[in-house]
Amino acid sequence: MTDQAPQILLIEGDSTLLEITAFRLELLGYGLVTLNTAERAIEWLQGNLPTLVIVDHVLPGMDGIEFINRLSNDTRTSEIPIIFLSTNGDLEDVQKAYNAGADEYLVIPYDPMVLEAKVERLASAVAYPA
């Protein structure tokens, strides 16, 4: 086990929400990589494995559900926990995210304490070999 902080990949197309979420996670001591498109995230994931991924439902070029499906179907990334952010709390949309492979669903605007609890729970459950 290393002393390195868990690394979170945050993919968010809205710059304001990206900044707010990133600021909160950095205050909590997490290592953070922020990207604004799914394509850039897929490229980054080719050489990196974060502890956790947080992805927005609407991304330029690819929606969040499609992105989650790609991660879930790739053996290299299928075990990475995913938090899905969405402005839609409709049960059908929540179910789509979970069916695609999301581990948690968070409705925007979210309570920062709820984000913190979900991140801590998922990040602490992950153990990658050194």
Side-chain angles (χ1 to χ4, degrees), residues 42-113:
I42 289 168
E43 288 175 20
W44 184 85
L45 285 164
Q46 290 174 359
N48 302 278
L49 285 177
T51 306
L52 172 69
V53 172
I54 301 174
V55 61
D56 188 43
H57 70 295
V58 178
L59 297 169
M62 179 187 309
D63 73 15
I65 296 290
E66 182 181 346
F67 178 79
I68 293 172
N69 273 320
R70 287 184 72 167
L71 262 61
S72 297
N73 292 326
D74 183 335
T75 56
R76 205 174 142 272
T77 56
S78 64
E79 297 299 317
I80 300 171
I82 300 169
I83 297 176
F84 190 70
L85 301 177
S86 179
T87 56
N88 189 343
D90 181 67
L91 185 57
E92 184 177 325
D93 289 326
V94 173
Q95 192 61 50
K96 283 180 188 175
Y98 281 114
N99 288 343
D103 296 281
E104 288 288 352
Y105 193 99
L106 195 55
V107 177
I108 301 166
Y110 60 81
D111 179 335
M113 297 303 289

Side-chain angles (χ1 to χ4, degrees), residues 108-127:
I108 301 166
Y110 60 81
D111 179 335
M113 297 303 289
V114 173
L115 171 69
E116 179 179 341
K118 289 178 184 285
V119 167
E120 285 181 0
R121 184 181 66 76
L122 291 174
S124 67
V126 175

